[in-house]
Amino acid sequence: MQGDEARSKAESDSLLADWLQPDLELCITNEIFKVINTIDDTKQRNSKRQLADTFTQLPYNQKDFETACRALTKVLLSTQVTINESQQRQLAIAIASDAPFFLTRNSQILAIADAINEEFNLSILSPTSLIVKLDYLHEYINYQPVRLAGTGITRQVVHKLDQVPFLSQRFLIAAKGEKLSDFQGRLGYIIANTDKFNCYIILQSKNTPKNNTPLALIAYHTDKTHELKVPIFRVRSGHLEETIARYLIFWFISLSVSKNLPFTRITEPYLNQTILSAIQDDAFFKVKDGYLNANLAVAVTATELSDYLTNLANLSPDYNFCLKIAETLKTDNLTKAVKTTIDVERILWPAKIIDADLPTIIIPIQAEWAKELFDEDLANQLLLRSETDLALKRELVYYRSHRGNGGLKPGVVGRIIWYVSYNKNYCGTGQVRACSRLDEVVVNKPKNLHQQFRRLGVYELEDLMKLTKNDPNKKLMALRFSNTELFKNPINLAEIKEILGKRVTVQSPLRIEQEQFTMIYREGTPNK
């Protein structure tokens, strides 16, 4: 092996060092297999293929790939740099898959690194440069956009003061008398104090970062042991305004729960009417400096929940609304009152009253539908974008046959435990993965159901017709559900069988008892 070639191999091999593995996942593109197939030596070709098979292949959407190819061609023409077709395809795949880095030793590609980064937000580095800039890598990852629910909408950290003029101009609430200088001062203070505040901009992604559209600006902090506070909560008007507002409210509550905080307080002084309506629907109570919601990560009896609420009320006069709910929980035969108990669980989400006589059904769902309807983890696995407004909705509908229904029928409300059927294309299937509130059951003909719930469902009319084997008069069941909680600890089928104490295949809805629900829920949501 010649000296330059040996040094190049050593540079690439350095990426496999053990100390780097916690910070890096090395991926390849499927284009590499075409290159390998051009090797004449059979033994060497097979060896290279076996090595390539040990790495993750970057998944990508064909439409995004074609868009990236066209845009990349323009960049190459403007920089007057020539690279071969295979190298262009590898770059385009990296761009289409939203990969943060592209590693190469090719001098021509490295020469256009700045132009590529500016146009596509893709950093091109040599293996050595990546290792040298490991500290930079940590910072870069911290500020990378996070996709919301597998859509083309992203959440990105705001961490530079030079972003204040741009953001303040776009999110000023002048109609309510807010002064630009006041908003700039408040926003600047929040951005400057990163040890205390977290500030994000919500963007609708276009073809390139330059064309991203700002949708919302938010900030939160946790300066009390019991609360997550939201001092900035602004959503720009548009067709996604209400969807984004309701999604973010649920995100704030979920974040508060994940931090073991029982309350979420919105203190933004210039809330628009869309947000006001949404927070009132989510049972936020008006207090002197904003709106307050109780979000209790507990699974307890009605009596235990009443006592817990009473103790919380003693912490602050602002928490007095908890006493009214506590009194409701002391009502005689409350656990038999389905509507009251499900209303309490809605107000205190994700709290669960484990001795409530609420119908609870395990429902099987295919991974393809789960990722579109509620499972953000599955949606993000393939890096393919879901339908934006649907994926962000909190209230959705799922269709199935009305036979073999496990007790589901019109008039039933309660809880759904979702079992995502095994699918080799996804990690984490063949498991119970989530819990939702069942709000309504409707049985009707496919066309009628589609007309009634088309804004809430991922199914098209032709999908519903397939379920009835193209019989327009055959009835289907629509399950309207909301506020899905993904399990931190998904439960495989073997564990479910053990909990239920019997052999089950979960091929159709299965009603379970209170004690069984408690065991499944607590297993899926540790520490409750």
Side-chain angles (χ1 to χ4, degrees):
M1 184 177 293
Q2 299 298 316
D4 289 344
E5 186 179 351
R7 281 192 294 271
S8 295
K9 183 179 186 304
E11 182 181 11
S12 296
D13 288 348
S14 64
L15 293 171
L16 301 176
D18 291 342
W19 67 274
L20 284 174
Q21 300 319 299
D23 297 309
L24 296 177
E25 180 184 9
L26 298 176
C27 301
I28 60 173
T29 69
N30 57 12
E31 183 68 19
I32 195 67
F33 292 99
K34 297 179 182 178
V35 177
I36 292 173
N37 287 338
T38 64
I39 299 174
D40 293 330
D41 186 284
T42 302
K43 184 176 180 180
Q44 185 182 15
R45 185 172 62 248
N46 291 339
S47 175
K48 295 285 188 183
R49 176 175 286 277
Q50 287 176 3
L51 177 61
D53 283 336
T54 64
F55 293 94
T56 300
Q57 287 188 50
L58 284 177
Y60 61 93
N61 177 278
Q62 183 64 27
K63 185 176 180 181
D64 290 342
F65 168 72
E66 292 169 359
T67 300
C69 284
R70 291 191 293 268
L72 183 58
T73 298
K74 293 179 181 179
V75 172
L76 292 171
L77 287 172
S78 67
T79 57
Q80 297 184 331
V81 168
T82 302
I83 59 177
N84 66 42
E85 184 178 347
S86 178
Q87 291 164 343
Q88 288 189 46
R89 290 176 62 84
Q90 293 204 53
L91 270 172
I93 291 170
I95 293 165
S97 68
D98 291 329
F101 295 95
F102 185 89
L103 302 183
T104 182
R105 300 194 308 267
N106 185 292
S107 59
Q108 290 172 300
I109 297 177
L110 289 169
I112 58 171
D114 290 342
I116 294 292
N117 183 260
E118 181 178 355
E119 183 67 25
F120 302 108
N121 203 27
L122 174 69
S123 287
I124 297 178
L125 297 169
S126 69
T128 299
S129 296
L130 179 67
I131 294 171
V132 169
K133 296 182 178 181
L134 190 57
D135 287 339
Y136 165 76
L137 170 62
H138 289 145
E139 180 182 2
Y140 189 92
I141 289 174
N142 286 339
Y143 297 128
Q144 275 295 289
V146 176
R147 289 168 62 198
L148 304 186
T151 69
I153 293 177
T154 59
R155 182 182 70 246
Q156 188 166 13
V157 176
V158 179
H159 64 289
K160 295 181 179 179
L161 287 172
D162 60 11
Q163 295 174 276
V164 169
F166 170 84
L167 295 173
S168 58
Q169 287 285 352
R170 280 156 180 77
F171 291 99
L172 180 72
I173 312 293
K176 291 196 173 186
E178 184 180 32
K179 294 181 179 179
L180 180 61
S181 58
D182 291 342
F183 184 39
Q184 287 180 332
R186 192 157 68 94
L187 181 58
Y189 174 78
I190 285 173
I191 294 174
N193 288 273
T194 55
D195 59 327
K196 181 178 180 182
F197 295 94
N198 294 272
C199 186
Y200 297 96
I201 184 170
I202 311 301
L203 299 165
Q204 184 166 29
S205 302
K206 301 297 184 181
N207 292 333
T208 66
K210 290 181 179 179
N211 297 324
N212 288 345
T213 302
L215 297 177
L217 180 68
I218 58 175
Y220 72 86
H221 65 115
T222 55
D223 67 341
K224 287 189 174 184
T225 57
H226 302 291
E227 294 183 14
L228 181 137
K229 283 190 174 182
V230 182
I232 293 182
F233 185 10
R234 307 196 172 194
V235 180
R236 298 187 74 188
S237 61
H239 76 283
L240 286 175
E241 179 182 5
E242 182 177 358
T243 298
I244 292 291
R246 292 182 182 275
Y247 176 90
L248 289 174
I249 291 168
F250 193 59
W251 184 74
F252 289 136
I253 293 171
S254 300
L255 187 62
S256 185
V257 168
S258 71
K259 294 179 178 294
N260 295 314
L261 302 170
F263 296 99
T264 301
R265 186 189 296 257
I266 297 175
T267 60
E268 164 65 67
Y270 295 97
L271 293 172
N272 66 26
Q273 189 55 50
T274 298
I275 297 176
L276 282 171
S277 297
I279 63 178
Q280 288 164 3
D281 287 346
D282 266 306
F284 277 76
F285 291 82
K286 185 75 175 72
V287 291
K288 61 178 180 293
D289 64 342
Y291 293 84
L292 191 63
N293 168 271
N295 33 255
L296 310 184
V298 296
V300 293
T301 66
T303 300
E304 290 169 335
L305 184 56
S306 178
D307 292 341
Y308 182 43
L309 287 164
T310 301
N311 291 333
L312 287 176
N314 292 329
L315 298 174
S316 167
D318 281 351
Y319 303 160
N320 281 342
F321 69 90
C322 292
L323 292 176
K324 296 180 181 179
I325 306 172
E327 286 300 314
T328 299
L329 289 165
K330 294 177 181 178
T331 305
D332 290 341
N333 297 319
L334 171 81
T335 56
K336 300 292 182 182
V338 172
K339 186 178 185 305
T340 302
T341 51
I342 204 165
D343 281 346
V344 170
E345 287 194 358
R346 178 184 65 82
I347 292 170
L348 301 177
W349 187 93
K352 299 292 184 290
I353 304 172
I354 60 175
D355 58 342
D357 192 18
L358 289 177
T360 302
I361 298 96
I362 297 178
I363 296 180
I365 184 171
Q366 294 179 20
E368 290 295 328
W369 300 126
K371 77 176 179 64
E372 295 290 342
L373 289 172
F374 61 81
D375 200 319
E376 186 168 348
D377 292 342
L378 293 180
N380 280 323
Q381 278 185 31
L382 297 185
L383 299 177
L384 299 178
R385 295 174 181 176
S386 299
E387 184 181 339
T388 297
D389 55 348
L390 179 65
L392 296 177
K393 287 184 181 295
R394 294 166 47 184
E395 181 186 48
L396 293 158
V397 70
Y398 178 63
Y399 303 97
R400 56 158 288 105
S401 167
H402 71 288
R403 301 189 184 280
N405 54 36
L408 290 169
K409 59 183 179 180
V412 171
V413 294
R415 309 186 189 104
I416 295 174
I417 294 290
W418 293 104
Y419 172 78
V420 180
S421 303
Y422 176 74
N423 185 317
K424 66 180 181 180
N425 296 320
Y426 297 87
C427 295
T429 57
Q431 297 177 330
V432 163
R433 295 184 56 85
C435 178
S436 301
R437 185 173 69 241
L438 174 61
D439 298 309
E440 184 180 16
V441 179
V442 179
V443 175
N444 211 325
K445 297 176 182 178
K447 186 175 180 180
N448 295 336
L449 290 178
H450 185 254
Q451 289 176 339
Q452 182 176 356
F453 295 117
R454 62 188 308 169
R455 70 182 183 87
L456 300 178
V458 66
Y459 282 50
E460 298 295 341
L461 180 57
E462 51 265 36
D463 295 314
L464 300 186
M465 291 300 295
K466 288 179 183 177
L467 293 176
T468 64
K469 296 183 179 179
N470 293 318
D471 182 350
N473 296 312
K474 188 174 183 180
K475 292 184 177 181
L476 288 173
M477 177 179 288
L479 307 176
R480 184 169 61 85
F481 66 96
S482 59
N483 287 16
T484 300
E485 180 182 10
L486 289 179
F487 285 175
K488 292 181 180 178
N489 181 35
I491 311 168
N492 62 41
L493 186 57
E495 292 178 90
I496 293 297
K497 290 179 179 180
E498 187 175 338
I499 290 171
L500 299 183
K502 57 184 176 181
R503 295 180 61 85
V504 291
T505 58
V506 196
Q507 293 181 346
S508 59
L510 176 68
R511 182 159 179 171
I512 59 176
E513 302 299 324
Q514 295 174 9
E515 295 81 5
Q516 294 169 333
F517 164 74
T518 301
M519 293 174 69
I520 291 172
Y521 184 76
R522 285 179 171 170
E523 177 70 19
T525 57
N527 303 322
K528 289 190 180 181

